[in-house]
Amino acid sequence: MTDYTPTPADKFTFGLWTVGQTGRDPFGEATRPGFSAPHIVRKLAELGAYGVDFHDNDLIPLGASAAQRDQIVRDFRAALDDTGLVVPMATTNLFTDPAFKDGAFTSADARVRAYALQKTMYAMDLGAEFGAQTYVFWGGREGTEVDGGGKLLDALAWFRDSLNFLAQYSQDQGYNYRFALEPKPNEPRGDIFLPTVGSALGFIATLEQPELFGVNPEFAHETMAGLSFPHAIAQAIDAGKLFHIDLNDQKMGRFDQDLRFGAENLKAAFFTVKLLEDSGYAGPRHFDAHALRTEDAEGVWAFARGCMRTYLILKDKVAQWSEDAEIRAALEAYRVQDAELEALSRTYSSTNAQALKNRAFDRVALGQRGLGLEHLDQLTAELLLGVRGKASTAAPRQMVTTA
Ligand code: GLT
Ligand code: MN
Ligand code: MN
């Protein structure tokens, strides 16, 4: 992997809607033509991707006839078979159609909620037809601008009922999907329900079959909320709930930019890759991003190549970081160990509690210790900037002093 060329073993995936995005935004028309689904499949395979994901209507346009559907499915299947690309994840478009203007599963209109269930069941059928194992719920329209409708508590209950219903449908059909809730704080709604990874994790615990549900955190979405993406995915990993991931980039406090992975926050991207690699996350590395509106078709593929290449470069940097002797020494100095105290504190017993209460701590000395994080962070920055050559990791160095 020295030239950072991806292979399917790297498990990189893209949504049809990502590289297929035409540059349209709320203020301007498309700046480039889209690509057909089979073209996307062939092109992604050529670039070394592993798979492709879709919303029902990325593949089958709303209102397509049965004959059109069959033709589309045949062409898509042929491209997958030719290339070996897989479909690990599928999802439903519950946001474009005006029917969903006030939400899908959380609409105040019972008819819309029922239609959303129907649409999702058909979309789950379609995903399963292509072997998808993860099903994503991004509740883009599940929210409000004004709360005068008084549905906040009802909406959560309706949302829960729908997810419970669909989990049973999945099992009934033998699909056995793992469901991944994707949080986002706002856009397109003023406030979206379950706005952050933490909110989604809390909600999952209230479902009938919580073990079937996890999260699909997106870098841009946590960043929009002013939160740290590495912190969010660490919590998801800790809870055993990182079922899928949407990698991209974002400036804090802006509209959802869906920038190329690593385009903006390289250090957070680095720690994201480190968490995924170190934790043994085995799922797809999915890029939910799109090329800048300034780009033509060539720019789109440069964007896709860039996402994967940056991931692989950062993966290499993660390995380098873990082996770097000076970084290891700084880490060792930072993380003070004390076997006796850890034995006393990790598990409760009345003896341990009493021993801790009797213990004298040098509070002032604890407060005076310098932690060396400036040094450690600078080493990390220099490693990312490429001035810590591999040679510097080979020869162990003196343990650093932070004075
Ligand atoms: C939409 C959204 C993404 C979601 C997709 C899945 S659709 O593009 O902005 O974050 O992951 O529904
Ligand atoms: Mn996004
Ligand atoms: Mn996303």
Side-chain angles (χ1 to χ4, degrees):
M1 94 141 164
T2 42
D3 64 352
Y4 306 114
T5 304
T7 72
D10 296 310
K11 290 207 154 177
F12 292 132
T13 61
F14 289 83
L16 283 180
W17 69 94
T18 64
V19 284
Q21 205 261 7
T22 58
R24 199 156 66 86
D25 72 11
F27 303 96
E29 298 302 342
T31 57
R32 53 184 177 250
F35 307 116
S36 73
H39 179 75
I40 290 176
V41 168
R42 291 178 206 285
K43 196 68 198 177
L44 286 178
E46 188 186 310
L47 298 184
Y50 164 72
V52 66
D53 311 305
F54 56 76
H55 299 86
D56 48 355
N57 304 133
D58 297 339
L59 194 60
I60 319 281
L62 260 187
S65 68
Q68 286 166 329
R69 181 196 193 276
D70 290 350
Q71 187 60 50
I72 292 169
V73 164
R74 262 198 307 276
D75 293 347
F76 189 57
R77 164 98 53 211
L80 293 171
D81 290 347
D82 287 354
T83 57
L85 230 65
V86 296
V87 176
M89 177 273 262
T91 182
T92 330
N93 184 323
L94 294 173
F95 43 91
T96 303
D97 193 316
F100 300 124
K101 62 193 170 194
D102 191 29
F105 303 134
T106 64
S107 166
D109 186 330
R111 296 165 303 175
V112 175
R113 296 199 298 276
Y115 170 56
L117 274 184
Q118 183 202 62
K119 189 173 194 293
T120 304
M121 287 190 285
Y122 281 122
M124 286 166 65
D125 299 345
L126 182 68
E129 199 176 329
F130 286 100
Q133 291 168 339
T134 303
Y135 204 86
V136 163
F137 290 106
W138 173 64
R141 294 279 175 201
E142 315 290 10
T144 62
E145 285 73 38
V146 292
D147 290 330
K151 70 171 181 180
L152 293 183
L153 285 173
D154 293 323
L156 291 169
W158 292 327
F159 211 161
R160 179 180 302 114
D161 289 347
S162 300
L163 296 177
N164 287 338
F165 184 106
L166 293 166
Q168 287 212 34
Y169 176 71
S170 163
Q171 289 172 306
D172 234 13
Q173 299 295 310
Y175 297 158
N176 298 320
Y177 278 117
R178 300 213 310 162
F179 298 100
L181 306 186
E182 179 177 343
K184 186 174 183 183
N186 59 275
E187 192 199 354
R189 301 310 300 270
D191 286 291
I192 296 180
F193 301 135
L194 312 182
T196 64
V197 167
S199 323
L201 290 174
F203 190 68
I204 287 170
T206 73
L207 298 176
E208 274 170 11
Q209 302 185 82
E211 67 283 0
L212 299 182
F213 289 83
V215 288
N216 177 39
E218 177 173 315
F219 197 121
H221 298 175
E222 296 299 303
T223 309
M224 285 169 74
L227 299 173
S228 152
F229 190 61
H231 284 227
I233 56 173
Q235 197 187 348
I237 291 169
D238 176 69
K241 292 295 189 189
L242 189 67
F243 283 14
H244 199 263
I245 192 162
D246 276 0
L247 298 170
N248 58 15
D249 214 336
Q250 171 76 28
K251 286 193 194 201
M252 192 183 290
R254 309 266 164 113
F255 64 94
D256 186 22
Q257 294 178 296
D258 293 335
L259 299 169
R260 191 182 74 258
F261 182 57
E264 184 63 31
N265 303 286
L266 267 178
K267 221 155 72 168
F270 169 75
F271 285 113
T272 295
V273 173
K274 182 162 165 33
L275 277 165
L276 294 182
E277 298 301 324
D278 292 353
S279 68
Y281 168 77
R285 276 72 174 154
H286 177 246
F287 298 106
D288 184 13
H290 53 74
L292 300 172
R293 190 165 183 268
T294 51
E295 301 308 292
D296 59 5
E298 202 180 312
V300 170
W301 302 117
F303 145 83
R305 238 184 262 112
C307 285
M308 296 188 280
R309 197 172 151 77
T310 297
Y311 188 101
L312 291 177
I313 295 170
L314 290 175
K315 184 174 166 184
D316 210 17
K317 297 278 183 193
V318 165
Q320 196 187 335
W321 195 91
S322 309
E323 287 158 16
D324 187 302
E326 202 171 348
I327 289 177
R328 288 167 78 113
L331 276 176
E332 210 174 302
Y334 170 58
R335 299 172 67 124
V336 177
Q337 295 181 15
D338 186 314
E340 188 205 343
L341 280 178
E342 288 180 78
L344 283 180
S345 338
R346 288 203 80 150
T347 340
Y348 177 82
S349 71
S350 53
T351 333
N352 284 355
Q354 199 49 54
L356 275 180
K357 286 175 87 177
N358 294 343
R359 183 82 175 212
F361 288 96
D362 188 346
R363 178 178 61 75
V364 176
L366 290 177
Q368 280 171 345
R369 186 175 81 93
L371 306 190
L373 286 175
E374 283 289 0
H375 181 62
L376 177 58
D377 191 58
Q378 179 67 20
L379 292 176
T380 304
E382 293 189 12
L383 186 143
L384 288 176
L385 290 169
V387 296
R388 288 186 71 70
K390 302 218 170 178
S392 69
T393 68
R397 298 197 167 186
Q398 289 286 338
M399 185 156 141
V400 288
T401 63
T402 55

